[in-house]
Amino acid sequence: ITQLTFSKVYEAAVEAKQVAQQEAERARYIVDKALQEKQSMIVRAEGEAKSAQLVGQAIQTNPAFLILRKVEAAREIAHTISQSANKVYLNADSLLLNVNEHKDFDYKKK
């Protein structure tokens, strides 16, 4: 046998089968990707919930934690502004420091 040919119907059936297999593989990939994204979102949400819980506990047990967060926010704002080409004049209230607000706070108290 030197030459073998198939009917057009058979060739079309083989091609349709290959296309169907490729589409099935693509569908499996999409489902796997969606499941991974779902799991990623769940883990991220659990992490954010735990973070919020820990921040709440830290604020309850140590009020200075809130002051520390304000200082960190002010530092970040100052860094962002310092990278700007524009001149900006701010007072302590604008940087969220509000130093006079905490006159009565005992920083050494645990």
Side-chain angles (χ1 to χ4, degrees), residues 29-47:
Y29 170 77
I30 291 171
V31 168
D32 287 344
K33 184 178 177 184
L35 289 173
Q36 288 176 355
E37 287 178 7
K38 174 186 170 186
Q39 187 62 31
S40 173
M41 291 172 75
I42 290 171
V43 168
R44 187 179 312 117
E46 288 174 347

Side-chain angles (χ1 to χ4, degrees), residues 2 20 56 58 60 74 77 85 91 104:
T2 58
Q60 286 178 348
I77 291 169
N91 59 18
D104 301 329

Side-chain angles (χ1 to χ4, degrees), residues 2-94:
T2 58
Q3 187 175 3
L4 183 64
T5 59
F6 296 104
S7 70
K8 297 289 183 185
V9 175
Y10 181 77
E11 288 177 3
V14 169
E15 185 176 337
K17 181 181 176 186
Q18 288 177 339
V19 169
Q21 286 175 337
Q22 290 173 351
E23 288 177 357
E25 189 64 33
R26 188 177 307 126
R28 273 195 295 275
Y29 170 77
I30 291 171
V31 168
D32 287 344
K33 184 178 177 184
L35 289 173
Q36 288 176 355
E37 287 178 7
K38 174 186 170 186
Q39 187 62 31
S40 173
M41 291 172 75
I42 290 171
V43 168
R44 187 179 312 117
E46 288 174 347
E48 289 174 1
K50 184 67 174 174
S51 174
Q53 180 184 15
L54 291 174
V55 167
Q57 289 175 353
I59 290 172
Q60 286 178 348
T61 58
N62 188 0
F65 178 78
L66 196 55
I67 296 169
L68 175 64
R69 293 300 281 251
K70 282 185 174 183
V71 170
E72 289 172 350
R75 185 176 293 160
E76 186 177 328
I77 291 169
H79 176 73
T80 302
I81 291 173
S82 71
Q83 301 300 317
S84 173
N86 301 327
K87 288 187 179 182
V88 178
Y89 297 98
L90 299 172
N91 59 18
D93 291 336
S94 298

